[in-house]
Amino acid sequence: MPGTVAIVGAGQIGIAAARAFVDAGWQVFVHARSQPVWTVDQAYFHSYRLGSDPVPVADVIVDTIAFDAEDIARYDPDRVGRLITVSSASVYCDEKGRTLDEAAGNGFPEFAAPRLETDPTVAAGPATYSTRKIAMEQAAKENFGERATILRPCAIHGPWSRHPREWWFVKRFMDDRHRIPLVHPRASRFQTTSVDLIGRFAASAADRDLSGIFNLADRDAPDVGEIGRTLAARCGATVELVELEHLQGAVGRTPWSVTRPFVIAGDKAVTAGKIEAQTYAESIAPAVDWLFETDRYAWQATFPQLARYPWDMFDYAAEDALFQTL
């Protein structure tokens, strides 16, 4: 029987969860530092500053921003029915211990098959994003036991993102770039996850009392070339995707660029949650349509996580110089 749900965080996962829980008949409260620009009918906003305001209590908590064990320790298991928290597929490591976090120095992890929830992960600790996420997962399981639901999405896409990878292509379409360079476009397969899928599964997990760890993945795992063609078709852009054999500076490097496939299996969530996962092409429209409303000249302020990437994503002069040598 639906009850109350407190959604912590008002980013892209927050809005998707709010919509899904409202649709499922829950009483929805969104807790965040500031009033979000978006609105969802029958979802109510509560100002919430971590560390200074009282911690939310509800039949279900959906924490979209929990980062480490301390974020979980704030919740009182006696006053929360179920805790649903968002982790990351970046926690998986290969047999040599390689992960996405240290890929620049140690090389990308190498996986023979899509990652399952039972596959090896990094150890918990304070060292990296992924080790802290594992510490968060462990705290959730220790404090809530069978009332803990842990979600592991991968490259999330959807509207209201502060890190929309699709902007790498969409801005080029808006800037009338007709030739787009891509480094190893077929090898670069970085699993995508629709934010709508995250919201729908969270609501289903709450309805069905689903416990444990769940990968969340689109039904396919397109390579970066397929992503580019999908986005071009959605935007009505006519472009040539130029394959580069080797990385030359940052030309052709995208937010999905990996030297080996990084794919996760989402079958467990689909089966347990009795939901349908869509393909990337089937689910990308809301993100693209939202991106087209963006001021392309002030994107750094709108997408701060993208702006912090350690290379210039839109160095068109370097791209044109390389094209002249091909």
Side-chain angles (χ1 to χ4, degrees):
M1 189 72 178
T4 59
V5 57
I7 298 170
V8 181
Q12 63 172 338
I13 300 176
I15 184 173
R19 286 173 172 163
F21 274 90
V22 166
D23 288 346
W26 290 74
Q27 189 175 7
V28 178
F29 301 92
V30 177
H31 298 252
R33 287 182 299 176
S34 56
Q35 178 83 43
V37 176
W38 54 263
T39 58
V40 173
D41 287 344
Q42 301 179 53
Y44 305 98
F45 172 74
H46 280 210
S47 178
Y48 174 58
R49 290 190 175 274
L50 190 65
S52 58
D53 291 328
V55 176
V57 295
D59 295 317
V60 172
I61 297 284
V62 180
D63 194 326
T64 71
I65 59 174
F67 186 52
D68 55 25
E70 291 182 1
D71 292 332
I72 300 302
R74 295 185 174 92
Y75 296 114
D76 182 351
D78 293 330
R79 304 187 70 192
V80 174
R82 173 166 298 279
L83 175 67
I84 301 175
T85 187
V86 181
S87 184
S88 170
S90 70
V91 300
Y92 293 113
C93 64
D94 67 9
E95 60 183 12
K96 295 182 179 180
R98 293 175 298 194
T99 69
L100 289 178
D101 286 336
E102 299 90 9
N106 300 334
F108 280 92
E110 185 172 0
F111 299 123
R115 295 298 84 193
L116 300 173
E117 290 84 352
T118 53
D119 283 335
T121 69
V122 297
T128 68
Y129 173 83
S130 297
T131 61
R132 294 176 73 178
K133 280 290 192 180
I134 284 293
M136 181 271 289
E137 291 187 11
Q138 291 180 357
K141 289 184 285 187
E142 290 170 2
N143 293 358
F144 285 86
E146 291 299 309
R147 294 180 293 125
T149 310
I150 297 162
L151 315 184
R152 289 180 181 167
C154 205
I156 302 172
H157 59 88
W160 305 104
S161 173
R162 294 166 66 83
H163 184 197
R165 294 171 178 85
E166 286 71 21
W167 185 241
W168 193 91
F169 279 109
V170 171
K171 185 176 187 299
R172 283 173 165 77
F173 303 154
M174 296 170 74
D175 291 338
D176 292 324
R177 301 290 296 179
H178 299 295
R179 300 185 77 194
I180 298 177
L182 295 175
V183 177
H184 39 74
R186 290 185 293 275
S188 286
R189 294 178 66 215
F190 188 30
Q191 180 70 62
T192 55
T193 303
S194 164
V195 75
D196 175 71
L197 176 67
I198 300 173
R200 287 188 291 113
F201 178 76
S204 180
D207 282 336
R208 300 173 186 278
D209 285 330
L210 300 181
S211 303
I213 298 170
F214 296 88
N215 289 341
L216 293 175
D218 289 341
R219 199 167 72 240
D220 59 349
D223 63 45
V224 72
E226 292 170 331
I227 288 174
R229 289 187 288 274
T230 296
L231 295 175
R234 178 65 190 178
C235 297
T238 301
V239 297
E240 176 190 2
L241 302 180
V242 181
E243 182 174 353
L244 305 179
E245 293 185 5
H246 306 288
L247 186 65
Q248 301 185 45
V251 174
R253 185 179 182 184
T254 78
W256 300 272
S257 292
V258 290
T259 58
R260 301 185 182 101
F262 191 98
V263 181
I264 63 175
D267 300 328
K268 178 183 175 183
V270 168
T271 300
K274 299 189 182 303
I275 58 173
E276 180 182 358
Q278 295 180 303
T279 66
Y280 180 79
E282 290 169 341
S283 58
I284 195 58
V288 174
D289 296 349
W290 172 73
L291 285 173
F292 258 91
E293 300 174 2
T294 298
D295 180 354
R296 57 184 164 139
Y297 301 108
W299 68 270
Q300 293 92 337
T302 307
F303 309 137
Q305 288 181 268
L306 277 183
R308 288 196 293 268
Y309 271 51
W311 72 87
D312 185 350
M313 288 193 172
F314 303 104
D315 189 348
Y316 295 155
E319 292 181 8
D320 291 340
L322 178 61
F323 286 143
Q324 290 179 1
T325 69
L326 299 180

